[in-house]
Amino acid sequence: QQQVKQSPQSLIVQKGGISIINCAYENTAFDYFPWYQQFPGKGPALLIAIRPDVSEKKEGRFTISFNKSAKQFSLHIMDSQPGDSATYFCAASELYGTDKLIFGTGTRLQVFP
Amino acid sequence: DGGITQSPKYLFRKEGQNVTLSCEQNLNHDAMYWYRQDPGQGLRLIYYSQIVNDFQKGDIAEGYSVSREKKESFPLTVTSAQKNPTAFYLCASSDRPASNYGYTFGSGTRLTVV
């Protein structure tokens, strides 16, 4: 119930293409869904986050789509660039809970020129 | 610059040794967390602390110990009871609620058993 399932494990995209990473959860008490970006040898950094009162949130080339009934959310990276090559983690937590983030297993994205 | 400092960046441990990983933050955050990162397994929570002098076990606390004597410091000790300690360890902090502010992570400590 506490798991967040993330797919795919790795993704190769051509420069300018769209990268899509999917996550699914079971715990209906989750109500905060952030995405983190991690470069090799560094800690993850918050990229974008969504709450279930909206179905989509966009920040620049990054968009989160959220489907509450399916308990799924996804990250779309438009016009993918080589600088986007990193590992991406989805996560979830309860808004009024312990602030613990439950992370997905990560997706390694490689964008080729 | 405000942030989280983890030290050392690389650490080598002999079998049977305890080692302590340092985590210091100057963000004035109440909550601090320790995660372990292994390839293909994402980030798994070891311990977390929401306030000074209080901490709770995460999902994989066995073989680890922590203390939170100061708001800015949350050291993690990897004890000899941890059978597979080789991993990348990440410390994070957040203001509360974390859903308003997100986590700030340090740059990690890579621990290797030799």
Side-chain angles (χ1 to χ4, degrees):
Chain A
Q1 264 248 331
Q2 284 291 90
Q3 280 187 333
V4 176
K5 295 182 180 178
Q6 183 172 348
S7 63
Q9 189 172 3
S10 64
L11 183 60
I12 299 173
V13 172
Q14 200 87 22
K15 179 182 175 182
I18 302 173
S19 304
I20 301 174
I21 304 170
N22 300 299
C23 286
Y25 63 98
E26 290 293 327
N27 187 347
T28 54
F30 286 155
D31 47 16
Y32 170 66
F33 304 92
W35 285 88
Y36 282 79
Q37 179 188 56
Q38 183 182 32
F39 294 104
K42 302 293 184 185
L46 179 64
L47 189 62
I48 186 172
I50 198 169
R51 291 184 184 156
D53 52 343
V54 295
S55 60
E56 185 175 282
K57 183 174 181 180
K58 184 176 180 179
E59 288 184 3
R61 296 184 293 109
F62 300 91
T63 300
I64 300 179
S65 297
F66 184 79
N67 185 330
K68 188 173 182 178
S69 60
K71 290 183 284 186
Q72 294 175 348
F73 58 110
S74 59
L75 177 70
H76 296 233
I77 306 175
M78 312 299 287
D79 187 26
S80 298
Q81 299 296 313
D84 297 330
S85 297
T87 300
Y88 293 82
F89 292 96
C90 62
S93 72
E94 299 177 36
L95 181 60
Y96 297 109
T98 59
D99 285 333
K100 289 190 302 179
L101 278 177
I102 309 299
F103 284 86
T105 50
T107 296
R108 186 183 175 204
L109 171 65
Q110 294 174 277
V111 182
F112 285 96
Chain B
D1 275 341
I4 294 185
T5 301
Q6 288 189 243
S7 62
K9 192 171 178 67
Y10 299 95
L11 186 57
F12 297 90
R13 190 194 97 167
K14 293 182 180 179
E15 296 278 355
Q17 266 186 345
N18 291 356
V19 291
T20 297
L21 283 59
S22 171
C23 178
E24 302 277 333
Q25 55 104 352
N26 60 5
L27 299 164
N28 200 35
H29 286 170
D30 286 319
M32 297 187 74
Y33 315 82
W34 274 106
Y35 284 86
R36 170 179 170 145
Q37 183 173 11
D38 297 281
Q41 296 196 52
L43 281 69
R44 293 181 291 166
L45 182 64
I46 305 173
Y47 269 97
Y48 65 103
S49 168
Q50 295 176 307
I51 198 168
V52 175
N53 291 323
D54 188 47
F55 50 82
Q56 282 77 41
K57 293 181 180 179
D59 300 317
I60 56 165
E62 185 175 350
Y64 300 97
S65 66
V66 294
S67 63
R68 186 87 188 275
E69 297 176 0
K70 298 185 295 183
K71 187 175 185 177
E72 58 269 24
S73 179
F74 192 40
L76 173 74
T77 296
V78 184
T79 75
S80 56
Q82 171 49 241
K83 297 306 178 189
N84 184 23
T86 295
F88 190 49
Y89 290 87
L90 287 160
C91 179
S93 71
S94 72
D95 220 332
R96 302 201 70 206
S99 55
N100 279 356
Y101 306 100
Y103 281 18
T104 300
F105 280 90
S107 293
T109 292
R110 187 165 298 280
L111 174 63
T112 304
V113 174
V114 296

